[in-house]
């Protein structure tokens, strides 16, 4: 499936994704109202990946609910609504609105956008995450998943897993971009994106080791919660590695941005070829079965 934020902001992009070889679709993380997002340039292709500071440009929740209401009954692909309120109150309002639409089957609550000036990522505040999830599950009776930032310390993996294990989450997506990195163009002696003085989320192959580590740790620490892998998936081999670490599904972000929607078929075919060579018939034959030497 796509990673939220890529190829999923406007109807033409979403319609095109539904007609492509994706297993599921997630919409651009939305707010209550339309947002223009951060000033451009706000995405740059860099060696080994990307840097972005989009700033949640989106068409407002109603636009995405309308899309799901129009399409979910007609497709066998699950369409996830991604929400990213700029405050706890906004997140709860978004969930309350989503809860009212019968067409919405699952909501991905984005706790990890690093690109809003002055707004820290909720996923790095364990108490705030627990408090939000407590109220979210009280307000919203739909399946709720979370999109997490990457963690880098064993104590943080454990602290977050302890919070997440208290809730019946549909899945946990690991990881959003590595927040607040920087890339420099030496020729112009300049940052390559404009928002936040050049600081932005790093995605793509760069972050595969961090993504794999997060998938692996949460796969081991969570009780009965699926992990969705995201980060550095360029090839079927990358998808295979995510699944080996424990991912039940794989999201594609930077590669989708760079290559376009045909990447799904290519990556699926490459994964199928690896499985074929290894004699695996289903992802359950190798999911989570990483050899730890
Ligand atoms: C953005 O719109 O700034 C990216 C969203 C995200 O990283 O969650």
């Amino acid at each position: 499936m796509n990673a939220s934020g890529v190829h999923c902001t406007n109807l033409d992009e979403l319609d095109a994704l539904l007609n492509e070889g994706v297993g599921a679709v997630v919409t651009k993380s939305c707010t209550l109202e339309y947002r223009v997002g951060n000033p451009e340039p706000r995405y740059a292709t860099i060696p080994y990946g990307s840097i972005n500071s989009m700033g949640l440009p989106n068409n407002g929740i109603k636009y995405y609910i309308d899309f799901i209401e129009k399409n979910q009954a007609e497709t066998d692909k699950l369409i996830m609504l991604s929400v990213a309120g700029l405050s706890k109150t906004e997140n709860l309002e978004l969930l309350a609105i989503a809860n009212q639409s019968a067409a919405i089957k699952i909501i991905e609550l984005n706790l990890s956008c690093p690109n809003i000036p002055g707004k820290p990522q909720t996923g790095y505040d364990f108490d705030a995450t627990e408090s939000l999830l407590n109220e979210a599950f009280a307000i919203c009776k739909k399946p709720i998943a979370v999109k997490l930032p990457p963690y880098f310390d064993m104590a943080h993996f454990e602290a977050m897993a302890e919070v997440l294990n208290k809730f019946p989450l549909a899945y946990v997506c690991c990881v959003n971009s590595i927040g607040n990195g920087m890339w420099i163009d030496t020729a112009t002696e300049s940052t390559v994106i404009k928002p936040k003085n050049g600081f932005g989320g790093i995605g793509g192959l760069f972050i595969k080791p961090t993504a794999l580590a997060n998938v692996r740790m949460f796969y081991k620490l969570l009780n009965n919660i699926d992990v969705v892998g995201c980060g550095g998936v360029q090839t079927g081999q990358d998808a295979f590695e995510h699944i080996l670490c424990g991912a039940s599904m794989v999201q594609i972000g930077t590669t989708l941005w760079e290559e376009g929607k045909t990447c799904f078929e290519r990556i699926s075919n490459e994964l199928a070829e690896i499985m074929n060579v290894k004699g695996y018939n289903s992802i359950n034959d190798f999911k989570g079965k990483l050899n730890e030497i």
Side-chain angles (χ1 to χ4, degrees):
M1 62 180 291
N2 64 304
S4 178
V6 185
H7 219 293
C8 59
T9 301
N10 299 318
L11 289 184
D12 54 344
E13 296 172 323
L14 286 162
D15 284 333
L17 268 193
L18 272 186
N19 294 322
E20 202 56 40
V22 289
V25 170
V26 60
T27 59
K28 171 68 184 170
S29 297
C30 66
T31 47
L32 285 171
E33 305 298 337
Y34 167 84
R35 276 176 63 83
V36 68
N38 289 342
E40 300 200 27
R42 57 192 186 184
Y43 177 98
T45 304
I46 57 181
Y48 318 113
S50 63
I51 182 168
N52 91 83
S53 182
M54 303 300 289
L56 293 174
N58 78 91
N59 291 298
I61 187 169
K62 186 172 178 316
Y63 183 95
Y64 300 103
I65 290 182
D66 287 350
F67 170 77
I68 295 171
E69 287 180 343
K70 185 162 165 248
N71 290 284
Q72 185 62 88
E74 311 297 319
T75 175
D76 55 356
K77 294 170 186 174
L78 196 54
I79 310 174
M80 289 122 171
L81 175 76
S82 172
V83 300
L86 302 193
S87 63
K88 180 181 181 185
T89 308
E90 186 175 7
N91 272 319
L92 294 174
E93 277 184 60
L94 289 161
L95 291 168
I97 292 168
N99 192 46
Q100 284 165 10
S101 169
I104 293 178
K105 304 269 182 256
I106 183 163
I107 302 160
E108 188 178 283
L109 176 59
N110 183 350
L111 302 179
S112 50
C113 176
N115 302 330
I116 307 298
K119 302 276 181 191
Q121 296 167 72
T122 307
Y124 284 140
D125 182 333
F126 307 120
D127 291 340
T129 298
E130 182 165 351
S131 163
L132 173 60
L133 290 178
N134 259 322
E135 293 190 46
F137 278 98
I139 277 180
C140 181
K141 300 305 168 197
K142 309 260 183 199
I144 300 174
V146 287
K147 174 99 171 250
L148 296 180
Y151 299 92
F152 304 95
D153 192 288
M154 294 302 172
H156 295 163
F157 286 122
E158 284 166 14
M160 194 56 172
E162 196 181 322
V163 170
L164 298 173
N165 272 328
K166 293 180 182 169
F167 301 97
L169 287 160
Y171 66 83
V172 163
C173 179
C174 305
V175 293
N176 207 326
S177 58
I178 298 183
N180 295 303
M182 177 168 280
W183 193 261
I184 290 168
D185 179 341
T186 334
T188 58
E189 302 176 16
S190 168
T191 58
V192 295
I193 56 171
K194 184 175 174 66
K196 291 180 69 178
N197 301 318
F199 286 81
I202 306 298
L205 198 56
F206 260 145
I207 75 163
K208 189 175 83 168
T210 296
L212 293 177
N214 276 258
V215 169
R216 186 68 182 159
M217 280 306 286
F218 283 108
Y219 175 75
K220 288 176 139 190
L221 292 170
L222 296 177
N223 306 323
N224 298 318
I225 302 174
D226 278 332
V227 179
V228 171
C230 183
V233 178
Q234 281 188 341
T235 65
Q237 182 182 325
D238 302 321
F240 182 84
E241 291 172 10
H242 269 265
I243 297 165
L244 208 51
C245 284
S248 301
M249 171 97 91
V250 174
Q251 296 187 345
I252 302 178
T254 299
T255 299
L256 173 57
W257 185 299
E258 299 292 334
E259 181 178 335
K261 59 193 171 66
T262 52
C263 70
F264 293 107
E265 195 179 347
R266 177 185 59 75
I267 291 170
S268 298
N269 289 341
E270 290 169 2
L271 174 61
E273 179 58 26
I274 293 170
M275 289 171 62
N276 189 32
V277 167
K278 288 179 176 280
Y280 295 142
N281 297 314
S282 136
I283 69 165
N284 288 326
D285 292 345
F286 61 100
K287 188 177 97 180
K289 295 185 181 160
L290 177 68
N291 287 319
E292 295 171 338
I293 56 172

